[in-house]
Amino acid sequence: MDSEPINSDGKRPAEDEGGQSNKRARPPPPVDLRILLQSKNAGAIIGKGGTNIKRLRSEYKATVTVPDCTGPERILTISADLNTACSCLLDIVPVLEDYQQHKDLNFDCELRMLVHQSQAGCIIGRAGFKIKELREQTEANIKVYSECCPGSTERVVALTGKPEKCIGAIKKIIELLQKAPIKGPNTPYDPFCFDEFYAAEYGGYTTYDDTRGGRGGDRRGGQFSQRGGGGGPRGRGGPPRG
């Protein structure tokens, strides 16, 4: 005869009338989704008198911040469980300045998420296999820049495509990262450290991009390279990678 389960304190777990354990399921772990933005987009996210960012926080029960910065870059951080964070980001994309003219989500967008340098390898995979698989699965174009953002241990992962495709790719990437804990020092990128000259190497924005609505990042061609890394000479993108 099988014995009934016993808790560590010697007691049987409580059951409801249907004979099912009434232990509450653990909530999904929170994530910190960090998105590199052009500074010009901060106002639309915040809204007049903070109305939009308050709505996002209330509606999604998430922590949403986009701290002030005098340079051309800001960082949007959404802290919530993964599904909620992705839904919140999908709500934000259409209000960004470059996409406000669209009536629905049938347009191409670009998102740049920040990941720790030690986790980039699990996105790219051996010989670029994993990033190729992610592109095929999500139908989003994905590029992992090879340089860290200045003074940090974070690298930019740039995604282009329809908003739902890009955010689907972000979700899959974060699921991968959850299986690959950060190794080594962890210094999040501070956009006050932006480097105008090396922005193309680490995937950042410049003052020109912010005023003219350019795409920043790799300006050497139209579409992102299909390689996993960013390529190009090494800039001053943070500490050496181990």
Side-chain angles (χ1 to χ4, degrees):
M1 179 182 294
D2 294 336
S3 59
E4 294 184 14
I6 301 294
N7 288 338
S8 59
D9 59 3
K11 298 180 181 179
R12 293 184 176 85
E15 295 183 348
D16 60 21
E17 293 180 358
Q20 300 295 320
S21 173
N22 61 14
K23 289 176 65 178
R24 293 182 179 178
R26 291 184 178 180
V31 300
D32 289 330
L33 177 56
R34 287 166 54 81
I35 302 293
L36 188 65
L37 296 170
Q38 291 174 271
S39 289
K40 67 178 184 180
N41 287 308
I45 296 172
I46 296 168
K48 188 173 183 180
T51 53
N52 193 51
I53 200 166
K54 289 176 183 176
R55 177 189 66 81
L56 292 168
R57 290 166 177 164
S58 174
E59 186 171 326
Y60 293 98
K61 303 295 188 290
T63 300
V64 184
T65 61
V66 55
D68 193 17
C69 180
T70 55
E73 300 172 340
R74 294 205 194 186
I75 294 176
L76 165 68
T77 302
I78 305 172
S79 300
D81 67 81
L82 180 54
N83 287 335
T84 300
C86 289
S87 295
C88 184
L89 181 57
L90 186 61
D91 191 321
I92 288 170
V93 171
V95 308
L96 300 180
E97 191 169 300
D98 291 338
Y99 314 127
Q100 291 175 356
Q101 72 273 23
H102 299 287
K103 303 296 184 182
D104 52 31
L105 292 175
N106 189 29
F107 60 89
D108 285 335
C109 72
E110 178 193 53
L111 296 171
R112 301 185 190 185
M113 67 180 295
L114 294 166
V115 304
H116 191 270
Q117 61 176 349
S118 68
Q119 298 174 310
C122 74
I123 302 172
I124 298 169
R126 187 181 296 275
F129 174 80
K130 176 54 71 173
I131 198 168
K132 181 180 178 182
E133 182 181 64
L134 286 168
R135 289 170 183 148
E136 291 172 350
Q137 289 176 345
T138 65
E139 300 178 20
N141 194 22
I142 306 168
K143 173 178 178 176
V144 181
Y145 279 82
S146 61
E147 304 301 325
C148 286
C149 297
S152 81
T153 55
E154 288 189 306
R155 288 163 68 176
V156 170
V157 179
L159 306 100
T160 56
K162 299 292 188 290
E164 290 172 323
K165 303 292 186 182
C166 290
I167 291 171
I170 287 174
K171 183 177 179 181
K172 282 190 171 292
I173 288 170
I174 292 178
E175 288 171 344
L176 283 175
L177 302 187
Q178 289 175 330
K179 301 174 184 176
I182 288 172
K183 296 178 182 178
N186 184 15
T187 307
Y189 178 49
D190 182 344
F192 280 96
C193 297
F194 89 98
D195 190 315
E196 191 96 17
F197 184 76
Y198 285 106
E201 305 303 327
Y202 67 83
Y205 295 103
T206 66
T207 305
Y208 177 87
D209 299 322
D210 202 43
T211 55
R212 298 294 185 91
R215 288 200 163 200
D218 192 342
R219 294 183 293 277
R220 290 168 291 187
Q223 290 294 325
F224 288 133
S225 165
Q226 291 298 308
R227 296 175 298 170
R234 180 169 179 79
R236 290 179 287 170
R241 297 187 298 276

